[in-house]
């Protein structure tokens, strides 16, 4: 059996609230907020604070709530653990605490150090797990120090690790309750990597994050996703794999998402490069097309082991709710029939 969640937009707040309530009404299993200081966009880069939004939804929705994803660079691990425990207590149900290594857009403009990001994630996750278990934590690490630290414990908080890299998968196997890589991995690699993680761990919920566009037809969806899809692909730490095929030197571009900052100049540079890339080189990173097209792609990942999808509509704000509706009313019934 699988679950399907929706990730809400960064902005505007009216759409964020409306979308969360609407997704819950449509019967989605989970509702996620991105945790960003800076939103991913082509023109607007604002983002609202994730845990505040989730606190609002704790009393307004029935779905599982989650953050996809936070980090331990902007917030001390104890602060992250306390926030997650608070939301779980407010809602009275499972809370999914997605954690990643961090991204340049949320760090560099604010003077936050970007060295040893994955190593800091590993130390932070270890501390968070112990704090949530109810332990009084004294810890002397390379990056974090605790001396008799504690927060309200919660068994309802489930820690998921985001990341497609080998190191983040190792952290998942050691400490996490769930794994949430992106669909860029592809079905075959997903299945292979999931087997490695599960062999090393008692139980990991197999998640998948996927940018998604559903429209009445394949052509309509393709027209909507092509430009933002190529832009998002150019932010990938693994973009060199497809840039080689068009003869573009990655070093001539703004940095990837680990050190990218959202400015009009940086966005324009990537959009100009996007014009040189055939969409076919990056289209497998996304779920897009008619309801039948998207259901078919999701079915392949279900066979690869996915238990919980986190779908993020990669669409204009004025189409966001319609995309969510199509997923609920046209895509999911096809999967449930199967």
């Amino acid at each position: 059996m699988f679950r399907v969640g929706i990730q809400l937009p960064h902005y505007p707040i009216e759409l964020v609230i409306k979308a969360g309530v609407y997704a819950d009404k449509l019967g989605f299993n989970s509702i996620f907020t991105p945790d960003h200081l800076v939103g991913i966009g082509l023109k607007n880069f604002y983002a609202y604070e994730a845990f505040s939004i989730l606190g609002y939804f704790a009393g307004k929705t029935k779905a599982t709530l989650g953050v996809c994803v936070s980090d331990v660079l902007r917030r001390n691990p104890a602060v992250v653990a306390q926030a997650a425990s608070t939301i779980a207590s407010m809602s009275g149900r499972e809370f999914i605490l997605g954690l990643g290594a961090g991204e340049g857009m949320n760090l560099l403009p604010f003077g936050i150090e970007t060295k040893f990001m994955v190593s800091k994630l590993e130390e932070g996750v270890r501390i968070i797990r112990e704090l949530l278990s109810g332990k009084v934590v004294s810890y002397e690490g390379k990056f974090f120090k605790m001396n008799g630290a504690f927060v309200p414990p919660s068994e309802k908080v489930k820690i998921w690790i985001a990341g497609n890299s080998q190191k983040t998968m190792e952290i998942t196997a050691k400490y996490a309750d769930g794994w949430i890589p992106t669909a860029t991995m592809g079905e075959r690699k997903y299945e292979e990597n999931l087997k490695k993680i599960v062999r090393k761990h008692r139980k990991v919920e197999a998640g998948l994050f996927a940018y998604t566009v559903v429209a009445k037809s394949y052509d309509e969806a393709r027209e909507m996703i092509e430009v933002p899809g190529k832009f998002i692909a150019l932010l990938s730490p693994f973009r060199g794999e497809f840039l080689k095929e068009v003869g573009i030197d990655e070093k001539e571009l703004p940095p990837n998402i680990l050190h990218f900052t959202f400015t009009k100049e940086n966005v324009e540079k990537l959009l100009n490069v996007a014009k040189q890339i055939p969409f076919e080189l990056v289209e497998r990173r996304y779920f897009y097309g008619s309801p039948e097209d998207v259901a078919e792609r999701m079915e392949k990942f279900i066979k690869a082991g996915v238990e919980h999808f986190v779908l993020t509509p990669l669409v204009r704000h004025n189409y966001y709710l319609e995309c969510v509706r199509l997923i609920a009313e046209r895509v999911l019934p096809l999967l449930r029939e199967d």
Side-chain angles (χ1 to χ4, degrees), residues 32 45 84 97-98 110 112 127 214 240 247 264 279 297 331:
F32 290 83
F45 315 133
L97 175 60
F110 307 98
I112 301 171
I127 292 168
V214 185
K264 291 183 178 180
F279 184 59
R297 190 79 197 285
V331 176

Side-chain angles (χ1 to χ4, degrees), residues 31-325:
I31 299 166
F32 290 83
T33 56
D35 184 12
H36 281 232
L37 280 167
V38 176
I40 296 175
L42 300 182
K43 294 181 180 180
N44 186 303
F45 315 133
Y46 291 124
Y48 285 101
E49 201 279 317
F51 290 98
S52 300
I53 293 168
L54 291 167
Y56 174 86
F57 285 132
K60 299 286 185 179
T61 62
K62 297 179 181 179
T64 295
L65 300 176
V67 59
C68 187
V69 296
S70 191
D71 63 63
V72 296
L73 301 175
R74 291 170 291 151
R75 296 183 175 95
N76 182 280
V79 177
V80 177
Q82 182 194 43
S85 177
T86 299
I87 302 299
S89 298
M90 290 174 69
S91 70
R93 54 190 185 269
E94 177 186 81
F95 178 78
I96 296 174
L97 175 60
L99 294 169
E103 298 168 328
M105 72 186 85
N106 299 311
L107 305 172
L108 294 171
F110 307 98
I112 301 171
E113 181 59 67
T114 59
K115 292 182 180 179
F116 308 110
M117 294 161 72
V118 176
S119 297
K120 289 175 182 176
L121 169 65
E122 182 166 16
E123 277 197 14
V125 172
R126 177 179 172 183
I127 292 168
I128 290 169
R129 176 162 288 287
E130 292 195 358
L131 288 170
L132 289 173
S133 73
K135 293 181 180 179
V136 176
V137 178
S138 294
Y139 178 81
E140 186 83 17
K142 183 176 181 180
F143 308 105
F144 299 109
K145 294 176 175 58
M146 300 277 157
N147 184 16
F150 57 89
V151 302
S154 177
E155 295 180 354
K156 295 183 183 298
V157 177
K158 306 301 179 184
I159 300 172
W160 286 14
I161 300 299
N164 291 39
S165 72
Q166 188 62 43
K167 182 61 178 177
T168 52
M169 286 187 278
E170 290 173 4
I171 294 171
T172 302
K174 286 181 182 178
Y175 303 109
D177 305 298
W179 179 45
I180 184 74
T182 65
T184 59
M185 184 175 292
E187 303 93 320
R188 184 178 61 82
K189 282 289 185 182
Y190 183 94
E191 184 173 14
E192 291 174 1
N193 288 321
L194 179 61
K195 288 178 180 177
K196 294 176 184 177
I197 291 171
V198 170
R199 278 203 300 269
K200 298 177 182 178
H201 195 47
R202 59 193 185 284
K203 171 59 181 166
V204 172
E205 185 167 10
L208 185 78
F209 178 96
Y211 286 108
T212 305
V213 175
V214 185
K216 294 178 182 178
S217 69
Y218 170 88
D219 290 339
E220 185 180 350
R222 161 130 185 187
E223 184 177 353
M224 283 192 274
I225 199 174
E226 184 161 355
V227 172
K230 289 194 285 187
F231 178 83
I232 293 290
L234 285 169
L235 291 175
S236 169
F238 306 104
R239 63 189 181 182
E241 296 172 6
F242 65 84
L243 287 174
K244 288 179 182 178
E245 298 191 37
V246 289
I248 296 175
D249 185 353
E250 183 180 5
K251 296 178 182 178
E252 297 178 0
L253 306 184
N256 65 47
I257 199 165
L258 297 178
H259 297 94
F260 185 85
T261 55
F262 273 85
T263 65
K264 291 183 178 180
E265 293 75 17
N266 279 343
V267 169
E268 287 176 2
K269 287 177 183 177
L270 287 192
L271 286 175
N272 286 333
V273 175
K275 296 175 183 177
Q276 306 172 48
I277 301 171
F279 184 59
E280 287 72 19
L281 287 180
V282 300
E283 64 178 343
R284 296 298 293 172
R285 296 167 174 265
Y286 310 110
F287 294 172
Y288 78 98
S290 68
E292 292 76 15
D293 294 325
V294 174
E296 181 181 355
R297 190 79 197 285
M298 290 178 70
E299 179 66 31
K300 291 178 180 178
F301 272 101
I302 291 170
K303 290 179 180 178
V306 172
E307 297 171 310
H308 199 148
F309 291 95
V310 180
L311 305 181
T312 300
L314 189 60
V315 296
R316 293 180 183 273
H317 290 157
N318 61 6
Y319 188 72
Y320 184 94
L321 295 179
E322 175 63 6
C323 187
V324 171
R325 185 190 70 80

